[in-house]
């Protein structure tokens, strides 16, 4: 694979690890303030990010490249409110979307159709990633200042379950 695309995909693999890291930090913060449901939601989000890591890792190997693991930045420890944490998560997903779009541009530039096909999965996935976090942001805005509402949102977020992907043989 061309070096600039290999480097970009490798960098995205590491950014996905950072995504898992930041969501786990958010989960820890939310659990610490007693929102076990929201903490569960973020923990599942972190687990899903590690599925993305695995996918980028396998893609690099499948294309004959050796993924390089980089140092991962320390995420924040706390946020001003649950809403602030979820707003941060939404902004983070927008950054991921923009990074994926840049990778698609590179793949198309160098006519690497296999990489483009692989990345298109993430172009679609990002629509869902942004929408699901934004749904929670909107729900938290609706219940701002109403502890009973927050309790109900938290209970709903506690229903999220991590479903491991079926791996190809
Ligand atoms: Fe792997 Fe949430 O982007």
């Amino acid at each position: 694979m061309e070096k600039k695309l290999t480097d970009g995909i490798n960098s995205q693999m590491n950014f996905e690890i950072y995504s898992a890291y930041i969501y786990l930090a958010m989960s820890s913060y939310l659990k610490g303030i007693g929102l076990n449901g929201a903490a569960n939601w973020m923990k599942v989000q972190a687990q899903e990010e590690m599925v993305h890591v695995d996918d980028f890792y396998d893609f690099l190997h499948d294309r004959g490249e050796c993924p390089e693991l980089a140092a991962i930045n320390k995420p924040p420890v706390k946020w001003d409110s649950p809403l602030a944490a979820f707003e941060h998560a939404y902004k983070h997903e927008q950054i991921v979307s923009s990074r994926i779009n840049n990778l698609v541009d590179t793949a198309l530039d160098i006519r690497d159709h296999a990489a483009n096909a692989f990345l298109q999965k993430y172009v679609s996935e990002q629509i869902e990633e942004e929408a699901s976090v934004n749904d929670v942001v909107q729900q938290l805005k609706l219940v701002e200042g109403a502890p009973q509402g927050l309790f109900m949102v938290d209970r709903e977020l506690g229903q999220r379950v991590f479903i491991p992907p079926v791996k190809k043989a």
Side-chain angles (χ1 to χ4, degrees):
M1 218 162 44
E2 261 196 44
K3 185 168 171 14
K4 70 175 170 181
L5 189 55
T6 302
D7 289 350
I9 290 177
N10 201 111
S11 160
Q12 186 56 30
M13 179 192 73
N14 284 305
F15 198 74
E16 298 284 341
I17 300 176
Y18 179 65
S19 302
Y21 221 39
I22 199 169
Y23 294 144
L24 197 57
M26 287 174 181
S27 178
S28 179
Y29 156 73
L30 292 161
K31 197 169 177 71
I33 59 170
L35 292 175
N36 287 346
N40 168 71
W41 195 98
M42 278 297 179
K43 200 167 192 185
V44 172
Q45 188 72 10
Q47 288 171 301
E48 291 198 348
E49 296 303 344
M50 288 310 292
V51 172
H52 301 166
V53 173
D54 202 38
D55 198 27
F56 279 92
Y57 177 95
D58 284 348
F59 178 75
L60 285 168
H61 270 303
D62 286 349
R63 294 292 305 276
E65 305 292 347
C66 224
E68 280 182 29
L69 298 171
I72 306 300
N73 290 336
K74 185 182 193 300
V77 177
K78 58 182 181 192
W79 285 262
D80 288 342
S81 64
L83 176 59
F86 277 89
E87 280 178 331
H88 185 175
Y90 180 54
K91 282 204 184 88
H92 185 81
E93 286 303 329
Q94 288 178 312
I95 293 170
V96 174
S97 300
S98 135
R99 292 177 63 107
I100 298 287
N101 288 341
N102 289 341
L103 285 173
V104 170
D105 287 347
T106 305
L108 291 176
D109 258 6
I110 60 176
R111 306 191 75 244
D112 188 329
H113 296 293
N116 178 43
F118 170 77
L119 291 164
Q120 285 304 321
K121 190 171 55 179
Y122 285 93
V123 171
S124 308
E125 168 100 15
Q126 280 309 117
I127 298 170
E128 208 183 298
E129 288 278 277
E130 286 189 32
S132 71
V133 186
N134 195 33
D135 276 355
V136 183
V137 168
Q138 297 313 318
Q139 285 176 31
L140 290 174
K141 279 186 177 166
L142 281 174
V143 301
E144 239 182 329
Q148 231 177 353
L150 180 60
F151 175 76
M152 284 172 69
V153 170
D154 188 60
R155 208 164 49 178
E156 193 191 316
L157 297 179
Q159 304 299 311
R160 188 177 185 192
V161 177
F162 173 65
I163 301 164
V166 180
K167 290 261 303 183
K168 62 185 179 185

